[in-house]
Amino acid sequence: MQIKINDVLRAYIEPLTEAEHAALERSLLAEGCRDALVLWDDILVDGHNRYAICQQHGIPFKVIQNTTFKSMEDVMLWMIDNHLGRRSVGDFQRGVLALRKKDILAQRAEAEAARLKAEDAAIAPPESDAEPVAAKVRTSREDIARAARLSTNTISQIEKIQKTATPELVEAVRAGTISINAAATVATLAPEDQVQAVAGGKKFLQQAAKEIREQRAASRPPKPARPAPWEDGGEPPSLPSEPLTEVEHLRAEVAQLKERNAALRAENAELRERISQLVDAS
């Protein structure tokens, strides 16, 4: 069988890095191609890198057919689920894949709703305004985040990066030069400023994200202090008529210690962040 390469499918999943490609090549040369390539008829679905390396070095390989695919969308959904299950896929790529799955499922739901509406229009009387009930599709932000094993906030940040980040900034996220959180912040800059920040390297990107956050914090209006209940017309707290018992004293001390512990933890986290920034700047 002549295996065909579909360029859309080959580019659908992010390519391996040079280090990952070299490691795969070493493994295939040493151990052979242990996992079979997956085909849809004569189209290669899974194993593009293995296939290219095997062809280059004359390494034998096996193929298996997946007969469940009915459309290119089925193939893409299978590819997404297959890669989401791999531990080697990074957070950003998992988020991108999960969002692609969301788009495919949402389009399918719209198409199904349109089909049902057309069928109902052919059967129901013209004056009927009843909307067809389409099958529910799990495309909420929570569902997508669960599929990618990420938080909903991280999914939102990845969406922002996809919409506003320049290709240079996206590549920096994929390479691990900048975190998803920081990249979403830098993505709010103008495109030329994003490119300049990426060109400055990891430290410059971190500094840019920090400055943007500080500017946002400074521009936020201060939160109004909440009045005490008695200042808002309520009854003032009554003074205890009897002295506190020893147990009550101990409970009060425990509460104070808990508050102090929380404050110390916050201070410790802030200090560690400052130390990390100083180390990066050195």
Side-chain angles (χ1 to χ4, degrees), residues 124-265:
E127 62 273 9
S128 175
D129 294 328
E131 290 291 333
V133 179
K136 292 185 178 180
V137 180
R138 300 176 67 84
T139 58
S140 70
R141 191 175 301 277
E142 291 75 15
D143 294 326
I144 298 303
R146 193 177 302 111
R149 304 194 303 278
L150 300 171
S151 68
T152 55
N153 185 50
T154 300
I155 290 293
S156 298
Q157 292 170 345
I158 293 174
E159 281 186 301
K160 183 185 295 184
I161 293 170
Q162 285 187 303
K163 291 177 181 178
T164 61
T166 61
E168 293 83 359
L169 182 57
V170 172
E171 185 57 33
V173 183
R174 289 173 178 162
T177 306
I178 185 173
S179 67
I180 295 173
N181 185 13
T185 302
V186 176
T188 60
L189 296 174
E192 57 271 19
D193 293 332
Q194 294 183 39
V195 174
Q196 183 180 5
V198 174
K202 182 175 182 178
K203 295 178 183 178
F204 196 95
L205 281 167
Q206 291 174 341
Q207 183 63 27
K210 178 186 175 185
E211 290 178 358
I212 294 171
R213 294 191 189 104
E214 290 175 347
Q215 290 173 2
R216 287 178 181 173
S219 63
R220 293 194 193 103
K223 293 183 180 180
R226 296 180 62 181
W230 59 89
E231 293 177 358
D232 201 23
E235 292 292 332
S238 57
L239 295 175
S241 56
E242 297 181 358
L244 296 176
T245 65
E246 183 177 357
V247 173
E248 291 171 333
H249 273 297
L250 291 174
R251 287 175 177 170
E253 289 181 8
V254 169
Q256 291 176 352
L257 288 173
K258 286 183 177 179
E259 292 179 2
R260 180 57 179 163
N261 185 37
L264 288 173
R265 287 178 179 272

